[in-house]
Amino acid sequence: NYGNIQFTRSIKDNIFCVPLTLQYNLITGIIQPYISAGFGGAYLKETTLNISSATYIPPQNKFGLSVICALGIEGYITKRLFIKAEWRYELLLQYPAIGIEYKF
């Protein structure tokens, strides 16, 4: 019976997305925590890096509509320049990201 085969697999997921989100800032001031939600057209590309099994498992590449939810915080440096940290769910729970943003 080959029904219970154990294997390990290492994969890398890349998400390419065109998002449309709404952001709500919880307080006003120099530092502003926020929540955001929306939708996006997303493409998930899965790459198998390592597998320890004789069975081939094809990659699970997918394209479709994704739900986006995020928690974050913004810190204003000037009126238009600020730093931003965000923790986001979009197809997968992602690692927190930190960046610099400029409002036009």
Side-chain angles (χ1 to χ4, degrees):
N1 184 343
Y2 294 101
N4 295 327
I5 299 173
Q6 292 186 358
F7 65 93
T8 58
R9 181 171 80 156
S10 298
I11 58 172
K12 179 175 87 171
D13 293 317
N14 289 321
I15 299 173
F16 303 97
C17 177
V18 178
L20 178 62
T21 60
L22 297 174
Q23 177 177 317
Y24 178 74
N25 290 30
L26 301 172
I27 60 173
T28 59
I30 295 174
I31 297 178
Q32 299 181 5
Y34 67 89
I35 57 173
S36 69
F39 297 96
Y43 175 72
L44 173 64
K45 181 180 179 191
E46 185 179 275
T47 307
T48 301
L49 303 174
N50 183 1
I51 189 165
S52 65
S53 172
T55 307
Y56 174 72
I57 299 172
Q60 301 294 314
N61 297 334
K62 299 175 186 176
F63 178 78
L65 188 65
S66 66
V67 176
I68 302 168
C69 301
L71 297 172
I73 190 164
E74 298 174 337
Y76 284 83
I77 299 169
T78 66
K79 186 177 179 181
R80 294 180 176 251
L81 181 68
F82 55 97
I83 57 174
K84 190 172 192 172
E86 183 176 86
W87 189 32
R88 173 184 283 220
Y89 172 83
E90 179 182 0
L91 298 178
L92 303 167
L93 188 59
Q94 301 174 7
Y95 290 116
I98 299 173
I100 297 173
E101 191 167 337
Y102 183 80
K103 286 186 180 180
F104 292 101

